[in-house]
Amino acid sequence: MSDVLERLAAVLEARKSAAADSSYVASLYSKGLDAILKKIGEEATETVLAAKSGDRAKIVHETADLWFHTLVLLAQQGLKPQDILSELERRFGVSGHEEKAARSK
């Protein structure tokens, strides 16, 4: 699974130096952070609506869109999927209540 994320991250990184009219991702980068965040918000809403509909294919499709645009954000911010996977690994086996309490200290 992480191989797909790594390959996608490499493509997203390459698009950072591409002309805005050369790809969708390059155009998002050229519009800046607010445009990327707006797209994530749209995709999050569409994911919620898909889940409410109960249509599994729509849930998968919209979640893929949400993940994709989140990966665009990570790349724009100089982060990689491995940064997120490492954080999830750190949290693995820790109660959600414990993890949340640790953040509030």
Side-chain angles (χ1 to χ4, degrees), residues 3 5 23 42 44 53 70 75 84-85 92 96 103-105:
D3 181 53
L5 293 176
S23 78
E42 291 170 6
S53 79
T70 301
I84 307 309
L85 294 173
F92 196 83
R103 281 188 276 152
S104 62
K105 290 182 182 179

Side-chain angles (χ1 to χ4, degrees), residues 90-103:
R90 183 191 69 76
R91 294 180 187 185
F92 196 83
V94 176
S95 158
H97 295 297
E98 291 173 17
E99 197 278 329
K100 187 173 180 178
R103 281 188 276 152

Side-chain angles (χ1 to χ4, degrees), residues 1 81-94:
M1 175 171 67
Q82 188 56 50
D83 296 316
I84 307 309
L85 294 173
S86 295
E87 176 62 11
L88 290 172
E89 180 68 29
R90 183 191 69 76
R91 294 180 187 185
F92 196 83
V94 176

Side-chain angles (χ1 to χ4, degrees), residues 14-103:
R15 295 290 195 271
K16 288 166 79 172
S17 60
D21 62 355
S22 69
S23 78
Y24 170 71
V25 171
S27 72
L28 269 179
Y29 288 141
S30 73
K31 293 174 187 172
L33 180 61
D34 286 346
I36 295 168
L37 295 175
K38 180 180 178 187
K39 193 64 186 168
I40 290 172
E42 291 170 6
E43 297 303 343
T45 299
E46 290 172 4
T47 301
V48 169
L49 294 173
K52 293 288 283 180
S53 79
D55 183 327
R56 293 169 59 91
K58 282 184 182 177
I59 295 168
V60 169
H61 179 86
E62 296 302 342
T63 300
D65 285 350
L66 178 58
W67 285 18
F68 176 83
H69 287 90
T70 301
L71 290 169
V72 171
L73 170 67
L74 292 176
Q76 193 265 350
Q77 295 290 307
L79 296 165
K80 300 200 177 310
Q82 188 56 50
D83 296 316
I84 307 309
L85 294 173
S86 295
E87 176 62 11
L88 290 172
E89 180 68 29
R90 183 191 69 76
R91 294 180 187 185
F92 196 83
V94 176
S95 158
H97 295 297
E98 291 173 17
E99 197 278 329
K100 187 173 180 178
R103 281 188 276 152

